Amino acid sequence: MLGMMPSQLKSQNVIDSLTTPDPNIRKYFPRWKVCENDIRIQIHQSFVVLGVDKSLLDMSNIEVIAAPRIDQYVPYDLLTITCGKATMNANVITSAIPRLAEYLNGSVSFLNGYELYPPKRDYCYNEIAPETPMDQTQAKAILSYMEPSNVDHSITVSLFEQTLKVGSSDFWLKNIIGNDPIGYPFWNSGEAKVVLKRPLYVNGNEESRDRIPNLINAQLGVGYRLESGLYSDEVNALSWVTRRKLNSGPDVKIIAGFDFHIPFYPEIGISVNAEIPTQKLKNKDFDRTYYASYNAASFPNLNYSPGEKSTDFAVVPFLRGSGQVALFYNWWLNKEKGENYFRFDLGISYFEVREMLSYFDGNKHTFTMTQDAEGLQLYKPNEFGDWVFAKVEYRNQAIFPFGMSVQYSNQILLGKLYIPIFKWLYIEGKAAVPLRHFRYFENQTFFMVSPTLRITL
C-alpha cells in the first residue's frame, strides 16, 4: 500500500504517524512470526527494558508488521512489533532498538561477525499471507467455528450441512443431511432435518460471557426423508459416495434438543437430543425405486405368505427414533486467545431400525408390517457398547483454522476433519467404520469429502 504512494511522500513520515495500524487494514501489510529463540529473547527483553508489564508479554507469540520499500539495502520499514498483548510502534522501534530493527527487516545480516549483502532476513520466521486476516479475530474464544457467536451474519454451505444466521439475535437456521450422532453421516441414514437453533438464557457470568454467551441453546425442527443418493446404479456427480442402505419413514420426525451450561461453571453442561417419528409405520403402497432394501432370500428364518401371486420379496429397513443424553466439557488452553479448543462429550445413545417386508403382487408394491411376516427384526441397543456415546473435538483457530473430531456411538467410529483452502473456503471430510459386525443396513465403511463455504460479516 505504501509503495503505491507518490515518491515525494517520505516513507518515514508515514511510518512515524502510523503508531497503531487499524486491524481492518493491517492484514494487507507484510507480516511474519519470529520463531528464532535468541531473537525472541532480545525482543522480549526490549519490552521489559521499556517498562512493559511482564504479564502482558508472550515470547512464543511475536509478530512483526512491515511496509515494503524499493531499496537495495532496506527492504522493509517496520511498523509494529507485537509480543503477546504488548505492541511497540514505529517511533519506539526506531529510537529504542535501531540495530535489532535493522536485523529484523533484513537490512543487515551477520555471519561470523561480518555483515552480509545483499540484505535478507537471516533468521527463523514464518510468513503470514497478506490476504489472511489477523489471527486476533479468528482466535476469539467461541463454541463453534462454523457457527461463530462473535459475528452478526454468517452462512456456511457444504454437502453435509447448510447454516444461516442473520442479525445479532443468535438465531440459527440449519439444514443437516444425515444423522451423525448415531454414526450415519450424509445420506447413509436416508433422512435430513431442518432445525431452528436459538438461545433461551443469557450467561450472566462476566468472566465467561465472551466465549459462552448463552447458558441454554435450544433447537427445534422437523426431519424428512431423502429420495436422492439411492442404492441404485444410476450415475451422477456423487456416484463415488458409498450407497445408501437405510431409509427414513414416509412420516416426518420431530427434532428437539438443547445444550444446558451450568451457571456457576459454564464450561460444563448437559446435552440432550431427540428425534421422534410422528406416526407408526403402516401397510402402504409404495414405489420401491425410492427405497433401499436387501434380498429377502438372505434370511432363511423369514416366514412370509402374502399370496400366491406375490413375488420379488425384499426387506426394507427404516430408521425410526433416536437420541442422545451426554455431559460435555468445553476447554480452551488459553481463554484469552481461544486458539486451541477442546470439547468432550460422554453419555448414552439410543436408536431403532425396524425392518418391513415388501413384495410385488402383480400390480403394485406393498409395505407389510412386522406382524405380517415372522422373522423381521427390530434393531435397538442390546449390548453395553450400543449405549455408549463418546466424542472428542479439537479446533485450532490460529493463522489457518482447522478442526477435527472423533466419535463413538452405536458401536460406530465416526471421524470428521476440516482444513482451510482460502479464508472463506474449506475442505471437509467424514469417515465412518462399524467396530462390531456390521448389519445389513450398514456400510462396512463410509468416506466422503465436501467443499465448505464459510462467509461471516
Side-chain angles (χ1 to χ4, degrees), residues 47-231:
F47 277 90
V48 173
V49 171
L50 291 171
V52 177
D53 188 344
K54 289 185 179 181
S55 65
L56 299 176
L57 304 178
D58 183 357
M59 196 183 305
S60 65
N61 184 21
I62 295 178
E63 182 181 281
V64 178
I65 301 178
R69 293 179 56 177
I70 302 175
D71 191 297
Q72 181 179 3
Y73 299 111
V74 185
Y76 294 102
D77 285 318
L78 301 188
L79 302 181
T80 64
I81 300 175
T82 300
C83 179
K85 296 181 180 180
T87 299
M88 188 184 300
N89 62 42
N91 292 331
V92 177
I93 293 172
T94 303
S95 60
I97 53 170
R99 193 60 171 169
L100 182 58
E102 290 179 349
Y103 189 58
L104 288 172
N105 68 17
S107 59
V108 175
S109 299
F110 291 92
L111 180 64
N112 297 326
Y114 296 95
E115 297 182 358
L116 297 178
Y117 295 97
K120 67 176 182 177
R121 285 173 286 168
D122 191 27
Y123 57 90
C124 177
Y125 63 91
N126 294 319
E127 290 280 4
I128 303 173
E131 69 274 10
T132 303
M134 290 295 290
D135 61 346
Q136 285 185 338
T137 299
Q138 294 176 342
K140 184 180 176 72
I142 55 178
L143 289 173
S144 173
Y145 187 71
M146 293 301 174
E147 298 177 27
S149 57
N150 59 332
V151 299
D152 288 337
H153 312 289
S154 174
I155 181 172
T156 304
V157 179
S158 75
L159 294 175
F160 301 116
E161 184 174 320
Q162 303 83 45
T163 66
L164 175 65
K165 178 189 180 186
V166 179
S168 58
S169 63
D170 278 344
F171 278 73
W172 289 88
L173 183 63
K174 305 169 64 177
N175 182 65
I176 304 167
I177 311 297
N179 196 321
D180 287 9
I182 56 173
Y184 299 137
F186 199 46
W187 61 41
N188 254 10
S189 63
E191 67 181 19
K193 64 200 77 172
V194 176
V195 298
L196 178 65
K197 181 180 177 181
R198 65 152 299 174
L200 292 182
Y201 197 88
V202 175
N203 184 6
N205 187 320
E206 294 287 345
E207 191 273 333
S208 61
R209 184 183 298 168
D210 285 347
R211 59 187 182 276
I212 306 175
N214 304 294
L215 295 181
I216 301 179
N217 290 289
Q219 64 178 21
L220 183 65
V222 296
Y224 60 93
R225 63 172 276 104
L226 291 174
E227 294 191 355
S228 59
L230 299 181
Y231 55 93

Side-chain angles (χ1 to χ4, degrees), residues 23-36:
N24 292 322
I25 65 172
R26 63 181 180 177
K27 61 187 179 182
Y28 299 107
F29 288 93
R31 295 176 289 140
W32 61 88
K33 295 272 191 178
V34 177
C35 53
E36 186 160 313

Side-chain angles (χ1 to χ4, degrees), residues 354-367:
R354 182 178 292 276
E355 292 180 338
M356 297 188 72
L357 183 68
S358 71
Y359 59 89
F360 186 66
D361 66 358
N363 298 310
K364 57 189 178 182
H365 288 79
T366 304
F367 273 148

Side-chain angles (χ1 to χ4, degrees), residues 407-408 410-413 433-438 442 444:
Q407 172 192 289
Y408 176 90
N410 184 25
Q411 295 202 50
I412 296 175
L413 194 65
V433 180
L435 299 183
R436 50 162 161 71
H437 180 70
F438 69 96
E442 295 176 341
Q444 289 180 276

Side-chain angles (χ1 to χ4, degrees), residues 373-391:
E374 297 179 0
L376 294 174
Q377 298 292 319
L378 172 61
Y379 293 92
K380 56 184 180 179
N382 55 16
E383 299 178 1
F384 176 77
D386 294 336
W387 291 99
V388 175
F389 176 82
K391 183 177 180 180

